[in-house]
Amino acid sequence: MIFSIWDNEIEKKEKQKKWTDNFRKIGEEVYTFFVDTVIEKGYENREGQWDMSCEITDAMKRKQHILVEAGVGIGKTFAYIVPLLFYHKKYGRPIVIATSTIALQEQLESDINVVENIIGYHPEIILVKGQNHFLCRNRADQFFFHNKNKENNKEIYEEIENGGCERNDWDINISDKIWNQINVREFNPVFCRQNCVHKDYCYYYKMRGELRTTNGIILCNQDLLTINLVKRQNWGNEILTDKFEFVVIDEAHNLENKVRSAFTKEMSYNSLSKTMEHIRKISNRIGSMIDEKIKKYYEYLDQVFSELYKQKEEQDMKARKNDREIERYYVNCNIPALSKLKKCVHDISLEVSIQFGVEASYKTRDVDNGIEELQEQEYFWESMLKGDSEDIFWMNAKGTKEVILSSCPKNVNQLIEQLYFSDSNFTTILTSATITSGSEEDYKDRYKYFSQNTNFPIEKGYISEPKISPFNYDEHALIYYTENMPHPSKERNKFIAQGVEEIKQILEISKGKALILFTAKSDMQEVYEKLKEAVPYKVLVQNAGSSQTDILKEFKRDVNSVLLGTGAYWEGISVEGTALSNLIIFRLPFPVPEPIIDYKIKAADNGLMEVLVPEMIIKLKQGIGRLIRSDKDFGIVSIIDSRVGENSNALYKSVIWESLPIKNRTSDINEVAEFYKKLAE
């Protein structure tokens, strides 16, 4: 026994030595790639990129989680792809890279291909998209089986018959209404394998199989990876291979929200009714008499949702008076009928479980699912009734007459830690252009807000010094800030009116060519209405009812146009060249009051400086990052909100300025005009 333990220790040390020796060679290959190879190929040598890549290589060698902010232009994708490819060349083990957008996944695939061609090594790459992006041949057969559908959509039918598997494969417009009837829905690999005649040439079915067996590089989104790790933690059937040793989280500033979404539970009146009718149906199979209990259930359910809707209406009324928008509605859980509803669900669940326990021959997966849904509902109501619940509750509006009730755990940071940092089988590499949110002298303290929200293992992990963008901001960019503007919330109408006058002056300097970012759709719409007839440039506005891709194409095509946007426009677009050489921030992007932010504020010693300001700075940095997208870009950033001005007494003013990559600033509009004119010549 002693010899066995001794032999194991020797074997472990030999494996560690071999691992260290291999990574010493990988480190040498990474060094040679950035110092010699890329220069010989005509690429630019970026010190921050090379430094970041070496740090990642060292963290990989030590199997140490690493956190690194890489400013715009560093080339962070190359910085982590290069050591990962050399590692893969040596070990042939799968790698997972998770982002938060399909656009970045596709860009990553392109970047990997570039590096592959340089080093002459080509592993398999699987770009994973959600099932709704892919055609289901079986559903398409059912849809086009009806001659009327075939005749009304002849062009679509013919294109699909000619081949293709993804919506983007066809140039023709396929409406959401039609696509949702022919795409992959509720994928079940067992059902597909046994029942679908198209399985042998179904791209999505094939891809799902490859994800379990591949030794290549998987490009997926953070949502899918999180779901996979939850399955792993719960001993479920994983979607991805379990053999990966390294995971990259790109756009890591979104990780908290992605994990929260994975653990969010939703209850709507319709979904609950559907569950109960399912229970009624399966219980009738054995003659179970629960109709009276179900009748009571609906009585209490009506009361609960009536009260919730009343709460929503009251909050809408207050919001309209204060000219603000609601992202998530608050929930007052003190609803008299709630405890009765919870008890009723418990009684129905218990009776159905007992009946099917006695009549075991009737029990099927269908029955198990129904009972499980009842139990989940009971736990949901029970958590709402607790005064010290471990969950946060909120509502979202569904149409004009319905609400969706949602909950998520308060301890999302602990969940992230369990999923991404506690599994000894893999190491996590986190990177983004916007992770830090402070101005502390010790660079590690600038990561504090992100570290707290994710429980990044500061003691055991590696925190990299932020990599400064190589772009020449000193000569190519200037921030204009306003003084003495009305307060954007307390004097909203005055702020909108004067803000439009400021925008008109700023647009005159660049002759359009501007992106204006808003924090509220109502602000955006009001400014649009006032601006569209007041300036001699085409004014485009983000519209939920039309394709954002088409709007961006129009913005790029008409170089002097002006684009107004909110939401994803703060980080989801990239426009190089003069078409976007003027970026206007209408308000500082503080988060709106809502239950999740409120919980964070209550948990902090100083909610303003520890929660609201870091949230705002991260988003502000994302927005400003839209301006300079290449080393040839130039332009101006304007912040209409005077809370950053010299006359402002805001406690956070200096933190904002120290956090931004652009240091040149002025409140003199004439200086702005001279600066832009000089660069545009």
Side-chain angles (χ1 to χ4, degrees):
M1 183 69 176
I2 295 174
F3 285 113
S4 177
I5 295 172
W6 180 257
D7 289 342
N8 286 339
E9 284 299 315
I10 293 174
E11 185 180 353
K12 191 184 295 183
K13 287 180 180 179
E14 287 177 349
K15 282 184 178 179
Q16 183 58 46
K17 183 179 183 304
K18 188 174 182 180
W19 177 269
T20 303
D21 290 343
N22 284 339
F23 263 94
R24 187 177 295 114
K25 294 174 185 175
I26 290 171
E28 291 170 359
E29 290 176 311
V30 170
Y31 177 86
T32 301
F33 180 90
F34 285 106
V35 174
D36 296 326
T37 308
V38 293
I39 296 174
E40 291 172 4
K41 298 286 184 181
Y43 291 92
E44 181 185 353
N45 183 10
R46 300 177 183 178
E47 184 180 343
Q49 185 184 65
W50 169 48
D51 188 32
M52 177 179 171
S53 196
C54 289
E55 287 178 337
I56 289 173
T57 306
D58 193 51
M60 290 171 67
K61 179 181 74 175
R62 299 171 185 271
K63 296 185 178 180
Q64 192 176 26
H65 305 299
I66 179 170
L67 177 59
V68 51
E69 179 178 86
V72 178
I74 285 292
K76 59 183 170 60
T77 54
F78 273 54
Y80 62 71
I81 285 169
V82 172
L84 286 169
L85 276 179
F86 281 122
Y87 153 81
H88 193 277
K89 187 177 180 181
K90 183 68 181 177
Y91 286 95
R93 297 179 69 85
I95 295 164
V96 178
I97 304 176
T99 76
S100 58
T101 64
I102 290 175
L104 184 53
Q105 285 174 248
E106 292 172 343
Q107 181 59 49
L108 273 170
E109 185 176 35
S110 175
D111 290 344
I112 293 173
N113 288 333
V114 171
V115 179
E116 284 180 346
N117 291 332
I118 292 174
I119 68 177
Y121 177 65
H122 301 273
E124 178 184 39
I125 300 174
I126 302 179
L127 195 156
V128 189
K129 296 181 183 179
Q131 61 184 18
N132 60 308
H133 289 273
F134 298 94
L135 176 74
C136 175
R137 293 278 171 180
N138 193 37
R139 295 186 75 212
D141 285 350
Q142 294 173 21
F143 179 78
F144 290 115
F145 178 78
H146 301 284
N147 288 330
K148 187 177 179 181
N149 288 340
K150 190 182 296 184
E151 290 168 7
N152 293 342
N153 304 283
K154 186 177 179 182
E155 189 180 6
I156 296 174
Y157 172 74
E158 290 175 351
E159 285 288 329
I160 289 175
E161 285 297 297
N162 289 331
C165 59
E166 188 180 346
R167 192 174 186 176
N168 292 339
D169 290 342
W170 302 288
D171 293 331
I172 57 172
N173 178 47
I174 305 177
S175 69
D176 289 343
K177 183 178 180 180
I178 294 174
W179 182 250
N180 289 334
Q181 295 180 73
I182 62 176
N183 64 354
V184 178
R185 282 294 172 95
E186 300 177 6
F187 178 74
N188 184 330
V190 176
F191 176 86
C192 291
R193 184 176 67 248
Q194 294 175 352
N195 298 278
C196 186
V197 296
H198 301 289
K199 65 180 183 295
D200 292 337
Y201 48 91
C202 173
Y203 179 83
Y204 188 73
Y205 176 80
K206 179 184 176 186
M207 182 187 72
R208 286 293 296 258
E210 289 174 343
L211 290 176
R212 299 288 303 276
T213 59
T214 185
N215 286 317
I217 299 173
I218 298 172
L219 306 179
C220 65
N221 60 35
Q222 293 173 19
D223 306 81
L224 184 139
L225 177 57
T226 299
I227 291 168
N228 185 82
L229 295 179
V230 171
K231 287 177 177 288
R232 172 181 291 194
Q233 195 175 64
N234 296 329
W235 303 96
N237 291 324
E238 295 185 48
I239 303 167
L240 309 178
T241 172
D242 61 356
K243 294 183 173 61
F244 55 83
E245 292 181 306
F246 294 103
V247 164
V248 177
I249 306 297
D250 205 335
E251 298 178 313
H253 62 279
N254 287 317
L255 184 61
E256 179 192 355
N257 285 335
K258 297 297 185 181
V259 173
R260 177 176 288 110
S261 294
F263 284 91
T264 294
K265 297 175 182 176
E266 293 185 346
M267 298 284 175
S268 70
Y269 190 95
N270 285 342
S271 67
L272 295 171
S273 298
K274 188 177 178 180
T275 296
M276 194 52 66
E277 291 311 308
H278 175 61
I279 293 297
R280 191 199 300 271
K281 184 178 178 180
I282 61 176
S283 65
N284 286 342
R285 293 180 197 166
I286 57 173
S288 178
M289 302 298 291
I290 61 170
D291 282 354
E292 280 302 313
K293 285 187 173 66
I294 291 177
K295 184 179 177 181
K296 280 289 182 185
Y297 169 84
Y298 279 115
E299 180 183 328
Y300 301 139
L301 188 69
D302 287 342
Q303 292 176 26
V304 168
F305 271 83
S306 177
E307 174 60 27
L308 291 172
Y309 189 76
K310 182 181 175 183
Q311 292 180 20
K312 172 200 171 291
E313 288 283 275
E314 290 172 352
Q315 292 173 57
D316 280 335
M317 195 179 299
K318 289 180 182 178
R320 283 192 291 270
K321 286 182 180 178
N322 297 319
D323 288 314
R324 71 175 181 85
E325 293 176 5
I326 296 177
E327 184 175 337
R328 295 184 179 99
Y329 292 86
Y330 293 88
V331 175
N332 181 352
C333 298
N334 187 21
I335 302 172
L338 191 57
S339 58
K340 296 176 183 177
L341 178 63
K342 181 255 175 186
K343 184 178 184 306
C344 191
V345 173
H346 173 79
D347 291 344
I348 293 171
S349 176
L350 182 62
E351 184 163 335
V352 173
S353 298
I354 291 172
Q355 287 293 333
F356 279 98
V358 174
E359 302 288 346
S361 60
Y362 285 92
K363 198 165 185 183
T364 62
R365 183 178 177 183
D366 188 42
V367 173
D368 287 337
N369 288 342
I371 294 172
E372 187 177 326
E373 287 173 7
L374 279 179
Q375 290 171 343
E376 286 180 4
Q377 188 184 155
E378 183 183 350
Y379 297 150
F380 190 96
W381 304 134
E382 185 176 2
S383 181
M384 276 188 74
L385 287 164
K386 286 182 180 177
D388 57 346
S389 176
E390 297 177 351
D391 299 315
I392 303 171
F393 295 89
W394 69 91
M395 290 183 288
N396 293 106
K398 184 180 180 183
T400 56
K401 292 294 181 182
E402 290 186 63
V403 294
I404 297 175
L405 183 60
S406 301
S407 76
C408 73
K410 291 177 177 176
N411 63 333
V412 170
N413 56 343
Q414 294 175 26
L415 296 173
I416 295 173
E417 179 184 14
Q418 292 166 14
L419 295 175
Y420 285 94
F421 308 128
S422 299
D423 192 328
S424 60
N425 293 316
F426 69 87
T427 301
T428 306
I429 300 163
L430 302 107
T431 184
S432 170
T434 53
I435 303 178
T436 62
S437 55
S439 58
E440 290 83 355
E441 190 172 329
D442 185 345
Y443 71 84
K444 292 183 180 179
D445 291 336
R446 298 177 213 161
Y447 288 95
K448 184 178 179 181
Y449 185 65
F450 180 88
S451 298
Q452 288 177 338
N453 287 333
T454 60
N455 273 16
F456 181 83
I458 295 173
E459 299 301 322
K460 295 181 180 179
Y462 182 87
I463 295 181
S464 167
E465 185 168 0
K467 306 300 174 236
I468 307 302
S469 171
F471 294 151
N472 191 352
Y473 288 121
D474 291 340
E475 294 183 11
H476 288 183
L478 174 72
I479 296 180
Y480 166 64
Y481 60 93
T482 60
E483 295 280 16
N484 305 315
M485 283 286 291
H487 193 281
S489 299
K490 297 174 184 176
E491 302 173 282
R492 180 178 177 274
N493 291 337
K494 287 183 179 179
F495 175 76
I496 296 271
Q498 291 186 37
V500 169
E501 295 305 310
E502 283 284 347
I503 290 172
K504 285 158 67 176
Q505 286 189 79
I506 297 164
L507 293 179
E508 179 60 27
I509 291 171
S510 59
K511 303 296 185 247
K513 308 177 182 67
L515 170 65
I516 310 178
L517 292 174
F518 296 85
T519 57
K521 292 176 183 176
S522 55
D523 285 0
M524 179 178 72
Q525 201 60 42
E526 284 191 45
V527 171
Y528 171 71
E529 293 299 330
K530 293 177 183 294
L531 202 62
K532 65 180 181 180
E533 303 298 336
V535 295
Y537 325 108
K538 179 178 283 188
V539 181
L540 306 167
V541 64
Q542 179 182 358
N543 190 329
S546 61
S547 169
Q548 305 311 325
T549 303
D550 292 340
I551 292 175
L552 283 173
K553 284 180 180 177
E554 177 63 20
F555 178 59
K556 294 174 185 178
R557 186 166 52 246
D558 187 336
V559 178
N560 293 327
S561 62
V562 179
L563 175 60
L564 282 61
T566 185
Y569 278 46
W570 284 82
E571 62 176 284
I573 64 172
S574 181
V575 180
E576 293 185 16
T578 56
L580 202 174
S581 51
N582 186 349
L583 180 80
I584 301 173
I585 307 289
F586 196 62
R587 289 194 201 207
L588 291 176
F590 280 102
V592 298
E594 51 95 2
I596 293 171
I597 286 294
D598 279 8
Y599 169 73
K600 286 187 175 186
I601 290 171
K602 288 174 184 175
D605 293 327
N606 185 330
L608 174 65
M609 299 305 293
E610 294 176 23
V611 178
L612 296 177
V613 170
E615 287 274 350
M616 179 269 291
I617 287 176
I618 289 172
K619 190 163 185 176
L620 182 62
K621 287 167 67 176
Q622 280 286 344
I624 289 176
R626 301 311 98 206
L627 181 69
I628 306 293
R629 306 301 297 174
S630 74
D631 55 2
K632 294 180 181 179
D633 281 353
F634 67 88
I636 51 176
V637 174
S638 300
I639 302 177
I640 307 298
D641 193 326
S642 292
R643 285 176 288 184
V644 296
E646 296 298 329
N647 298 329
S648 169
N649 295 320
L651 297 172
Y652 46 79
K653 184 174 67 178
S654 61
V655 181
I656 294 174
W657 289 123
E658 289 169 18
S659 298
L660 300 182
I662 302 172
K663 302 304 178 185
N664 292 336
R665 65 180 190 262
T666 182
S667 60
D668 187 339
I669 195 75
N670 294 317
E671 283 186 31
V672 178
E674 289 175 15
F675 178 86
Y676 190 91
K677 182 180 178 182
K678 181 180 177 182
L679 289 174
E681 288 176 348

